[in-house]
Amino acid sequence: MEGNIFEKILGQDSLFLDRKAFDHAFEPTTLPHRDREVEALVRNLVDALNGHIPSNMLLYGVPGSGKTVVTRFVLGQLGEKGREMGQPVRTYEINCRQVDTRYRVVQTLATKLSQRGDVPIPFTGWPTDRVLEHLVERMDRAGGVHIIVLDEIDNLVERAGDNLLYNLTNLNTILKRSRCCIIGISNDLHFTQLLDPRVSGRLGQEDLIFHPYGASEITDILTERAKTGLREDVLEQGVVQLCAALAAQEHGDARRALDLLRISVQKAEQRSQTKVDPRHVRLAQSQLEHDQVTPVLQTLPLHQKLVLFSIRINEDNGLRNISTGEVYRTYSDACLNVNVEPLTPRRISTLLNELDTLGMIMARNVSKGRGGRSKQVNSAIPKTVDAITTMSDADPLIAEAARCRYRLQSHL
Ligand SMILES: Nc1ncnc2c1ncn2[C@@H]1O[C@H](COP(=O)(O)OP(=O)(O)O)[C@@H](O)[C@H]1O
Ligand SMILES: [Mg+2]
């Protein structure tokens, strides 16, 4: 090989101007189509600068609808203005998917407020109420207004209940020399149904809904981001629109759209091409689908894998709209082949519903006349994914099942 092996790649001009513009943590300076949401937050939080307590707020919306980025933007500006006015506002952002218990949230907040000489609060072990007492003490010591953002709060409440929210929305009755405001952010639109009415009343003093983005809104977001992140003229006609349209189909997720655009550009770069065209977007889309589905297939429990396997081999044999009876027949054969006790048809029916929820199959009920109903299923795994091989690699029993022979119904 001639020369240094890095040379060829190093010398290549990247199509990116700034790759960081496509990082999930990137904070854009303009937020197209979120003026209303920004303004609602500003109108409420301005109270913190006037020495009042802003209302608690609840922000809802599907993933990728801009909740986190909008909140960060507004809090950043609030902090800036506060410092300028000599009226510091303390803001805390906690992601409840990462900090996922009541104890850890309270411990994290108290630790953020610690000063030299304070007793360190351990990651576990104290009674939560004792940690809460320290938090209150430290908030009062700091004084002023504290704004606590609990991002992806639905995660925590689903698993651990609403005690944390009860405690935090009650703080203002205990605090003496400071005030606090809670902003909860949820991906789940039915989040308040998980809450005690007292808690939901106190938390949802102001609700703010983030609507899913439509294709043209995503187009604007991508165009704006491309200006910062990509060299001029690298995108062929229609690339941005295609990314936007594909992401709009997936509940209007701007994160998905940005990922699609970034991977499309990488696909062009890998092929040493200087322009990104819609074919690269298609490649990016199948990679994303592949990356989404593969870990699900790998981690399905054995019987789910066997059911899906049974559906797939019937499909490979040309059958469509497979009846549950047929699925069960093949599934029992597969169990027999690998010496596993089959589950009852009733359990399999439940497993089919679960596979449907996971997006691995599509099941539909069809009526059979005389009020009888039956279910038909088709797999819903992208064509680019070889489900049987993926499951076989993850589980030797599936590999064994795949080596056996089956009596399959022939299609007409
Ligand atoms: N209006 C917007 N303008 C620019 N970028 C946006 C906008 N809305 C969302 N994004 C980007 O899309 C991605 C997802 O947004 P995010 O705020 O994390 O969504 P959510 O918190 O609702 O799941 C982020 O990379 C963010 O920068
Ligand atoms: Mg978010």
Side-chain angles (χ1 to χ4, degrees):
M1 208 173 284
E2 256 183 54
N4 187 290
I5 52 174
F6 287 92
E7 204 115 290
K8 184 163 147 251
I9 303 274
L10 205 59
Q12 244 173 34
D13 265 345
S14 170
L15 302 181
F16 288 100
L17 206 55
D18 180 6
R19 273 172 208 270
K20 286 199 204 71
F22 291 91
D23 282 356
H24 288 170
F26 181 79
E27 292 181 26
T29 44
T30 53
L31 297 166
H33 305 291
R34 283 303 179 235
D35 295 340
R36 186 187 65 87
E37 292 75 8
V38 168
E39 191 179 316
L41 277 156
V42 168
R43 275 189 185 285
N44 180 37
L45 294 176
V46 70
D47 277 347
L49 297 173
N50 297 327
H52 301 294
I53 322 173
S55 306
N56 294 332
M57 295 181 95
L58 201 46
L59 278 42
Y60 300 96
V62 292
S65 57
K67 302 179 297 296
T68 302
V69 77
V70 164
T71 309
R72 270 191 200 151
F73 173 75
V74 172
L75 290 190
Q77 299 260 307
L78 176 68
E80 209 172 277
K81 199 72 200 165
R83 280 189 294 279
E84 203 180 296
M85 293 169 62
Q87 183 120 355
V89 182
R90 287 185 175 71
T91 61
Y92 315 84
E93 181 191 324
I94 295 194
N95 185 299
C96 301
R97 196 188 282 275
Q98 284 145 19
V99 182
D100 60 354
T101 63
R102 170 170 168 249
Y103 183 97
R104 290 197 56 214
V105 170
V106 181
Q107 190 263 353
T108 304
L109 287 169
T111 303
K112 282 182 199 252
L113 278 157
S114 64
Q115 291 180 358
R116 269 178 56 187
D118 282 349
V119 265
I121 302 174
F123 284 109
T124 58
W126 285 14
T128 309
D129 286 345
R130 179 162 165 218
V131 188
L132 258 173
E133 278 167 27
H134 279 268
L135 175 62
V136 168
E137 243 173 65
R138 291 177 186 185
M139 286 171 84
D140 269 344
R141 178 175 69 191
V145 180
H146 302 268
I147 296 177
I148 302 174
V149 176
L150 301 170
D151 202 352
E152 309 203 54
I153 179 68
D154 41 331
N155 263 292
L156 191 155
V157 170
E158 222 168 75
R159 287 184 307 103
D162 62 1
N163 277 345
L164 170 75
L165 288 175
Y166 183 84
N167 296 137
L168 294 185
T169 53
N170 199 34
L171 280 178
N172 280 331
T173 62
I174 306 168
L175 291 165
K176 296 195 181 70
R177 279 180 299 280
S178 65
R179 288 289 169 253
C180 93
C181 154
I182 310 292
I183 301 180
I185 304 181
S186 162
N187 286 326
D188 175 359
L189 306 177
H190 306 292
F191 169 66
T192 42
Q193 291 171 6
L194 300 171
L195 303 177
D196 184 285
R198 277 176 308 174
V199 176
S200 64
R202 290 202 303 231
L203 180 63
Q205 291 168 336
E206 278 200 41
D207 280 1
L208 186 56
I209 297 174
F210 285 62
H211 294 286
Y213 291 117
S216 75
E217 293 175 324
I218 298 181
T219 300
D220 293 340
I221 292 171
L222 292 181
T223 307
E224 202 57 42
R225 198 67 67 93
K227 279 189 212 153
T228 336
L230 299 180
R231 293 223 324 262
E232 228 177 300
D233 295 332
V234 301
L235 300 180
E236 293 265 18
Q237 271 285 320
V239 165
V240 162
Q241 288 76 2
L242 181 56
C243 291
L246 290 169
Q249 278 168 14
E250 296 236 354
H251 72 247
D253 183 342
R255 184 179 297 114
R256 172 85 176 195
L258 286 160
D259 286 344
L260 257 178
L261 184 58
R262 173 179 52 83
I263 298 171
S264 307
V265 178
Q266 286 167 347
K267 294 282 173 202
E269 278 194 341
Q270 285 158 8
R271 289 164 177 70
S272 303
Q273 286 158 343
T274 53
K275 294 260 186 193
V276 185
D277 65 48
R279 279 172 313 178
H280 298 122
V281 181
R282 294 288 176 195
L283 289 170
Q285 169 82 347
S286 46
Q287 180 182 326
L288 274 177
E289 283 174 350
H290 190 273
D291 294 351
Q292 255 174 351
V293 171
T294 305
V296 179
L297 287 174
Q298 285 166 340
T299 53
L300 286 174
L302 176 64
H303 286 276
Q304 301 260 30
K305 282 202 183 88
L306 285 166
V307 171
L308 196 56
F309 166 79
S310 309
I311 295 168
R312 289 294 302 178
I313 60 170
N314 272 294
E315 285 182 342
D316 288 346
N317 194 44
L319 208 61
R320 293 286 172 275
N321 304 325
I322 309 162
S323 69
T324 41
E326 201 53 38
V327 173
Y328 192 75
R329 199 173 4 250
T330 311
Y331 160 81
S332 313
D333 281 354
C335 288
L336 203 69
N337 284 335
V338 296
N339 274 324
V340 170
E341 183 76 16
L343 303 174
T344 60
R346 211 189 160 85
R347 275 289 294 148
I348 295 308
S349 178
T350 314
L351 294 192
L352 284 171
N353 289 338
E354 287 169 12
L355 285 171
D356 193 352
T357 311
L358 284 170
M360 298 293 107
I361 65 167
M362 277 195 296
R364 59 186 180 133
N365 290 314
V366 285
S367 73
K368 290 208 304 187
R370 294 220 196 144
R373 294 186 75 73
S374 79
K375 200 180 288 189
Q376 293 185 338
V377 299
N378 288 296
S379 76
I381 299 163
K383 286 191 234 40
T384 50
V385 178
D386 181 348
I388 294 182
T389 305
T390 307
M391 291 193 293
S392 297
D393 290 345
D395 193 329
L397 277 181
I398 301 295
E400 196 183 325
R403 282 191 292 272
C404 298
R405 295 176 68 80
Y406 295 85
R407 299 164 290 139
L408 300 173
Q409 197 181 61
S410 56
H411 57 106
L412 303 175

